Structure formats: C-alpha cells, structure tokens
Amino acid sequence: MELPKSLTLAACAFVVYCVLTAIYRLYFSPIAKFPGPRLAALSLWYEFYYDVVKRGRYTWEIEKMHKRYGPIVRINPFELHIADPDYYDELYVGSSRRTSKYGWATKAFGESTSVLATESHELHRIRRAAVAPFFSKQAVQRLEPTVQSVVDKLLLRLQALQGTGECVNMVDVFTALTGDIISEYSFDRSYRLIDNPEFAPHWHKVMMDISEAGHMFKQFGWMQPMLKRFPRWITKILSPQAMSLLGMQDLMLDQVLEVKQELAGDHKNIGQKTIFYDMLTNDQVRQEEKETEHLVTEAQVVVAAGIVTTAHTLSTIAFYVLNNPEVLKRLQQELAAVMGDTNSKPSWQVLEGLLYLVSSCCTVTEYYIHREVYEVRSLTNSRARSSVKGSGNGCAPVV
C-alpha cells in the first residue's frame, strides 16, 4: 500500500530538515569550532541520556570531556562548558552587566516565577531584592536563637539514642534539622521533623525526587504544566518524582494561605522576623510579588534550598571530620577552649573566631562540595550554570 503523497512529502521534509540542522550545528554554528563529542553537538538527546536515563550523571560526563578536550568543551548544540577558575571573574560580574538567565535551564523549575527561575535581568533584581535581606549575615545572626533551640532539640534526640548502638542516617538527621529551621524562619511554624522517630526520611527522598524531576522538565518544558493538570493518580503513574514536587507545592500553598488569613485577621508575628510574613507586610515589595501563585513558587525554592543544600553540606562535613581522626582531635581541642563544659553554648560570633573550625569547614566546602565548573551559553552572552558534586548518603552508629 502506497503512502499518501502528503505524508511522503512531510517525511522527506523532516529528513531534509534533520540533515540541514546537523550540517549547521557541526560546521556553521558560532560554537562549531569548539571541541566536544559530535553527538553532543548534534542533539540535546546526548544530555538527556546522562541526565534523565542515567539520573543526573551529565556533570561527571562533562568532567571527563574536560580531561579529554581541555578547559573549553561543547556540551550540547547551544552551550559551552568552561573549567577554568581564572575565568570566574569574567563570567560572574554581579549587577554591573546586564545578564539574563538561560531559558533552557530555567525550565527545570517548571511553571515558576521564583527568583531562581526568573530570566529577565531587571525582573530578577526586583524579585531578588524582596528575599535577599532575609539571608544577609545580620539576618542570619538574628536567627541564632531559633537555630540554637532546634539544635538543642536534636541533641536531646541523639543523647537518648547514645549507647544504644542504633544506626542513624545522618543525611536524614541533617535534613530534619535544616527542615525545622527553614520552616520556622519562613512561616513561623516548624515541620517538627526532628520529632519523627526516624528523622522523617521521606523528606530527603522528596528533595531528591524534585531534583531528579527537574532534569526531565528541562528537556520537556511542557511536561510539568501537563502533569499538574492531570488527576493526581495519573501523575503518580506517569511520574512519581513529579508527585513529590506537586505535593510540596500543595504544602507551600497551604502555608502561604495560612499566613494571608492570619494577616487578614489583623494577626502578625511580632517575634522573630519571618520571610513570608514580612514580604506580605513590606510596602517596598511590589504587589506582583505578593500574589499567592508567586509566593508559592518562591516558598518552594526557599524551603528546598534551605533544606537540601545545608543538609548536604553538614553531611559532607560530618563524614570528612569523622573519617579523619586528626581533624576530629584538633577540632575537639579547639572547641574545648571555648565550651568548657558540655552545657556551654558559644555564640556564632565566638565560633566564627575559631580558625581551625572555620578553615576545616571551608576546606570541605571548597574541595568536596563546590567543585564547580562553569559553562557559557553562547559566545555573545555570559549566562552560566554551576554543577555541584558531593558525597552520598551516610549512616553512623550513635555511640
């Protein structure tokens, strides 16, 4: 049976398009002269394979490319990746140069208006100004009593387990710790993850599911909006990772609405400043940044970043210290000088003055977590992303 003429023409046109696109990308693209795998230059499916099929392994594959091709490699049809610390100041110049985010990368956040997913340079500055004050050094120092109370609660949990020989997953412990702190700071209400008998291990899984879903959403920008509109039972079948994201968005929506309802009833938190209470009552913040939909996506970023990045850093530092007895011994000696007895609680300012403590944390951060390489999105702009690598999960007996 012969194919319809229109279908045959369409097929031929598609083949011609693919051939011409391949020729352009390999020989006439502005970045065609830069080295890298031919498959990566031809198609985004190369990145798809490592980030989606192999679950976020493209960072490591890019590292292999640099070892083979040098400091500048082409990682897909539109991007260069640069592994050269001397280029950092050329790329990251702050607000002195108009620099918009790369739209392809922001698709990883789905339908989001958060500061992290905002492309426009000007709009990003406006949205960043609304949340940046809450993460200044002064703001974090004001948060110290909240942090200390949550840490005290964690210590009581660990002391109760001491000597039992029970194995505790420190990734879950630190996820619970950071989750309780950032939820208190954001909404003036704790998630009480530390109270969970097993330190709420599902929260770490949720964070990892959201990260993994981002790889798929970046490749297929239409997927997150589509899954969001499906009945949840269908979404759960099609993408379990997306269910974690949607579940977190539902939680953020409930909390944002609670804050708005309290403010509508003339109730405002008068104690420790909290992020979303203050954003809603700050006359300097535009009305657009106070809309519920925007606050939900902003809350998702603040809470997720406050949990996963800090928990990962603490987990890596804990492993590094426990795996190096000499480092552990020197830290104990230095801390003993300011703590005296076990009930002493030195302030952050005191701890900041402990040179070996600070240098050890910086060493771990520099060499075990922030091993970054930077990529340039095209020859005519300086949009970039950084890829961060670190240790995996860890379980330690409580002794």
Side-chain angles (χ1 to χ4, degrees):
M1 186 174 101
E2 293 185 5
L3 292 174
K5 186 176 181 180
S6 59
L7 186 60
T8 302
L9 289 174
C12 291
F14 178 74
V15 171
V16 171
Y17 168 78
C18 290
V19 171
L20 292 178
T21 299
I23 293 172
Y24 172 79
R25 290 176 175 177
L26 289 176
Y27 301 106
F28 299 104
S29 167
I31 57 175
K33 64 181 180 180
F34 291 95
R38 287 285 187 173
L39 287 177
L42 278 172
S43 173
L44 289 165
W45 288 106
Y46 192 81
E47 180 175 337
F48 171 90
Y49 172 73
Y50 284 100
D51 263 351
V52 177
V53 179
K54 301 196 76 173
R55 305 176 65 187
R57 298 298 302 178
Y58 203 37
T59 296
W60 284 263
E61 182 62 21
I62 291 171
E63 186 176 38
K64 293 178 183 177
M65 292 182 199
H66 283 298
K67 291 179 180 178
R68 179 178 179 182
Y69 297 107
I72 304 178
V73 296
R74 187 180 182 183
I75 62 170
N76 68 36
F78 314 107
E79 301 177 40
L80 299 178
H81 199 284
I82 298 175
D84 183 357
D86 293 333
Y87 195 71
Y88 183 92
D89 292 331
E90 179 72 22
L91 186 61
Y92 292 100
V93 295
S95 59
S96 62
R97 181 179 66 202
R98 187 181 184 280
T99 307
S100 294
K101 287 192 175 183
Y102 184 45
W104 167 259
T106 61
K107 289 195 299 181
F109 305 104
E111 287 184 317
S112 176
T113 61
S114 69
V115 63
L116 200 60
T118 301
E119 290 184 42
S120 165
H121 175 83
E122 290 77 16
L123 186 55
H124 179 271
R125 292 189 67 181
I126 292 173
R127 289 176 174 168
R128 185 177 184 275
V131 296
F134 297 101
F135 299 99
S136 66
K137 186 174 181 179
Q138 293 77 11
V140 173
Q141 286 177 333
R142 289 196 299 268
L143 188 64
E144 186 172 343
T146 300
V147 175
Q148 186 64 61
S149 66
V150 179
V151 170
D152 290 343
K153 191 176 181 181
L154 174 60
L155 289 177
L156 290 175
R157 282 290 321 273
L158 295 178
Q159 287 168 0
L161 294 168
Q162 190 172 15
T164 64
E166 184 175 341
C167 187
V168 175
N169 189 316
M170 296 307 295
V171 174
D172 293 336
V173 169
F174 290 130
T175 299
L177 172 69
T178 55
D180 283 354
I181 292 172
I182 193 61
S183 59
E184 189 78 36
Y185 190 30
S186 296
F187 300 106
D188 193 34
R189 45 179 61 76
S190 172
Y191 291 156
R192 302 178 67 88
L193 303 180
I194 289 177
D195 293 338
N196 184 281
E198 297 181 352
F199 297 99
H202 63 281
W203 263 91
H204 179 255
K205 182 180 183 302
V206 166
M207 296 296 105
M208 295 301 100
D209 282 348
I210 291 174
S211 298
E212 189 170 336
H215 293 305
M216 182 68 78
F217 296 156
K218 187 173 72 169
Q219 298 288 334
F220 305 107
W222 47 265
M223 180 172 287
Q224 193 263 357
M226 180 188 71
L227 293 174
K228 191 174 181 180
R229 289 161 177 77
F230 279 171
R232 292 299 170 87
W233 66 270
I234 295 180
T235 301
K236 188 174 183 179
I237 295 173
L238 296 176
S239 178
Q241 291 82 9
M243 278 298 298
S244 294
L245 172 63
L246 298 179
M248 185 175 185
Q249 289 176 344
D250 290 343
L251 175 61
M252 296 301 104
L253 175 61
D254 291 341
Q255 294 188 301
V256 167
L257 291 177
E258 284 180 20
V259 172
K260 285 194 166 188
Q261 288 169 1
E262 290 178 6
L263 290 173
D266 295 328
H267 169 77
K268 183 180 185 297
N269 175 44
I270 58 175
Q272 168 70 47
K273 286 187 174 182
T274 57
I275 296 172
F276 293 97
Y277 274 100
D278 285 21
M279 282 182 65
L280 284 165
T281 57
N282 187 348
D283 293 335
Q284 301 301 314
V285 176
R286 302 187 315 163
Q287 191 59 41
E288 290 89 335
E289 274 67 60
K290 296 180 182 181
E291 296 293 335
T292 299
E293 186 176 352
H294 171 72
L295 289 174
V296 168
T297 60
E298 204 71 89
Q300 179 187 327
V301 168
V302 168
V303 172
I307 293 176
V308 71
T309 57
T310 314
H312 180 65
T313 301
L314 291 172
S315 302
T316 306
I317 290 174
F319 170 80
Y320 171 77
V321 171
L322 294 175
N323 198 48
N324 292 270
E326 284 300 315
V327 174
L328 175 61
K329 182 178 179 180
R330 287 191 63 180
L331 284 175
Q332 289 173 329
Q333 292 172 344
E334 188 176 54
L335 288 169
V338 297
M339 295 184 70
D341 58 76
T342 55
N343 294 320
S344 176
K345 299 174 184 177
S347 68
W348 167 246
Q349 287 183 319
V350 172
L351 294 174
E352 202 174 20
L354 302 181
L355 298 181
Y356 191 71
L357 173 66
V358 173
S359 63
S360 296
C361 291
C362 288
T363 298
V364 176
T365 303
E366 179 69 24
Y367 293 105
Y368 289 84
I369 300 173
H370 297 297
R371 294 179 60 196
E372 299 179 336
V373 283
Y374 305 96
E375 61 192 34
V376 181
R377 296 295 175 175
S378 74
L379 295 178
T380 57
N381 63 46
S382 297
R383 301 163 182 168
R385 77 179 175 189
S386 61
S387 301
V388 182
K389 300 192 298 182
S391 64
N393 290 350
C395 187
V398 181
V399 293

